[in-house]
Amino acid sequence: MTVPLVGPQFGSYAADEVKWLLKDLSHVDLEADVAEREKRIQSGEAHYAESLPIEYQPDDAYRELFETVLAESAPRLARAVGTVTDLVLAERGSDIVLVSLARAGTPVGILMRRWAKHVHGVTLPHYAVSIVRGKGIDSVALDHLSHHHDSSNIVFVDGWTGKGAIARELDAALTEYHAAGGAAFNSDLAVLADPGYCVRTYGTRDDFLIASACLNSTVSGLVSRTVLNDTLIGPGDFHGAKFYADLADVDVSNRLLDVVSAEFDNVRSDVADLLAAVRASDRTPTWAGWESVEKVQADYGISTVNFVKPGVGETTRVLLRRLPWKVLVRELDAPEHAHIRLLAQARGVPVEEVSDLAYSCVGLIKDIT
């Protein structure tokens, strides 16, 4: 079977922190101008996963802001990591295998693995796999996982939920995989933050800034977003990705992990209280976020919900790698949105206050068809 990729040959994370179930496409020229790429995606000429955007590299002011954001949010991040990890361990046992959805889920999976080891002395295997909206999860990666582990022990991990598209994609893809004769996997997705009320396993449902959303590959192990392109990915191949080794001098991937991990001992008592509160609450997904997105879509005359990206993480992504039209915020001067205001200003994107937003902010993609 295809062999997983590990650092430092692929990515900047240590080999024991994550195994990437991906095909190395570092040698392939896949990047396209953001505007040209957006045009091809929106016109239906190409799927977003067939190519990569040219990664926006923020200026020094933004990088300094990232450091501030990381320092200020590290305790909150650590509490969410501890809560979701302990929730998973309590409900699924300690024989679990963490499988993060590359790439936003990968730093979260590593932090959950670190918490389990530091606090409970449990060493959890951790893999990263690709899932593509509209195409499903990598079935070759699922074959690999079920060959090496009991599929009932697999816990899928992501960073946060927006409107819940990936949670739905995961559930549908795993159902289809099993129906075709594959192993049965549990589709319950574990996330740090679930502001969209789309999952039942989370660290918080607050729409707060997760520092790993602030940058692209330089906070995700120098790995690109995943690629699914028929000319490069054959029937027996994992989905692909690139390792941007040339960005090593601005890589903060391991710094983020270390800063958050350093808070673990300080938040242990908080996590015990938060875990009890989460377990005592009604965690049934209501998909309230999806309803909110449909309202924004109607109010702004937007042709598809795919152009509405809710939550701090998704809004940041729109500004970093898509063609943004405008940003909606619940509070114009919210301190945790400083990085969003800086990115919006740099890209000439208007920021509009909408006081009754269900999320703290929403990014809107420009319709250029």
Side-chain angles (χ1 to χ4, degrees):
M1 298 183 80
T2 310
V3 178
L5 300 171
V6 294
Q9 291 79 24
F10 184 87
S12 61
Y13 293 133
D16 64 335
E17 301 230 75
V18 61
K19 293 180 179 179
W20 302 90
L21 299 186
L22 295 171
K23 180 178 181 179
D24 188 356
L25 300 178
S26 303
H27 60 289
V28 185
D29 184 12
L30 286 165
E31 289 76 12
D33 172 74
V34 172
E36 179 59 32
R37 183 173 178 272
E38 192 72 47
K39 187 177 178 181
R40 286 176 54 79
I41 292 169
Q42 291 188 21
S43 68
E45 289 178 59
H47 188 277
Y48 78 89
E50 291 176 359
S51 64
L52 293 169
I54 296 172
E55 293 221 343
Y56 173 72
Q57 294 303 320
D59 58 19
D60 290 342
Y62 185 88
R63 289 197 183 96
E64 286 175 22
L65 181 61
F66 168 80
E67 292 293 339
T68 303
V69 163
L70 177 57
E72 291 175 351
S73 64
R76 194 174 185 182
L77 271 167
R79 284 192 286 271
V81 167
T83 303
V84 72
T85 309
D86 283 359
L87 182 59
V88 167
L89 290 170
E91 296 189 342
R92 302 282 298 273
S94 57
D95 290 332
I96 56 170
V97 177
L98 300 176
V99 177
S100 56
L101 304 181
R103 68 185 168 181
T106 307
V108 178
I110 294 175
L111 286 168
M112 289 176 67
R113 183 180 182 277
R114 286 190 179 189
W115 177 275
K117 191 170 187 177
H118 182 78
V119 175
H120 302 289
V122 176
T123 300
L124 301 177
H126 175 219
Y127 298 86
V129 303
S130 168
I131 187 168
V132 176
R133 194 186 72 237
K135 301 284 187 180
I137 197 165
D138 184 345
S139 60
V140 178
L142 294 181
D143 290 344
H144 183 96
L145 291 168
S146 60
H147 182 76
H148 290 87
H149 302 278
D150 182 338
S151 62
S152 66
N153 291 336
I154 302 295
V155 177
F156 292 97
V157 173
D158 207 358
W160 57 87
T161 63
K163 52 184 176 280
I166 288 299
R168 287 181 168 179
E169 189 80 44
L170 179 66
D171 184 63
L174 292 177
T175 300
E176 183 181 332
Y177 177 80
H178 183 48
F185 289 87
N186 187 330
S187 66
D188 186 42
L189 183 62
V191 298
L192 278 194
D194 178 37
Y197 287 69
C198 314
V199 299
R200 61 179 306 279
T201 305
Y202 52 84
T204 179
R205 275 181 164 157
D206 293 342
D207 183 15
F208 83 105
L209 174 61
I210 296 170
S212 58
C214 288
L215 295 165
N216 283 313
S217 64
T218 53
V219 80
S220 308
L222 295 182
V223 174
S224 74
R225 62 172 308 163
T226 61
V227 174
L228 182 55
N229 185 321
D230 290 345
T231 62
L232 299 166
I233 309 299
D237 291 336
F238 294 136
H239 292 188
K242 295 182 73 165
F243 169 30
Y244 291 124
D246 57 308
L247 296 177
D249 59 330
V250 289
D251 184 27
V252 290
S253 304
N254 287 293
R255 173 161 171 70
L256 179 138
L257 299 176
D258 293 343
V259 169
V260 176
S261 300
E263 297 291 333
F264 284 174
D265 287 332
N266 300 330
V267 302
R268 285 172 75 158
S269 61
D270 293 344
V271 167
D273 294 340
L274 289 166
L275 177 65
V278 169
R279 295 195 77 185
S281 67
D282 181 0
R283 293 182 278 142
T284 308
T286 65
W287 300 92
W290 193 281
E291 293 173 23
S292 153
V293 165
E294 289 180 329
K295 183 179 184 301
V296 169
Q297 181 191 3
D299 289 350
Y300 286 83
I302 296 168
S303 61
T304 168
V305 289
N306 292 339
F307 290 170
V308 183
K309 301 293 186 180
V312 182
E314 294 302 301
T315 301
T316 306
R317 281 174 156 186
V318 168
L319 290 163
L320 282 174
R321 66 187 194 207
R322 299 297 295 270
L323 206 59
W325 173 40
K326 63 174 65 179
V327 171
L328 311 180
V329 295
R330 199 160 51 201
E331 185 185 336
L332 209 53
D333 299 316
E336 65 269 25
H337 292 166
H339 76 291
I340 285 173
R341 292 192 291 272
L342 202 62
L343 283 173
Q345 184 180 17
R347 299 202 62 186
V349 178
V351 178
E352 184 178 315
E353 189 172 50
V354 182
S355 58
D356 63 347
L357 275 182
Y359 297 83
S360 67
C361 58
V362 175
L364 304 181
I365 293 172
K366 184 179 289 186
D367 187 341
I368 56 174
T369 53

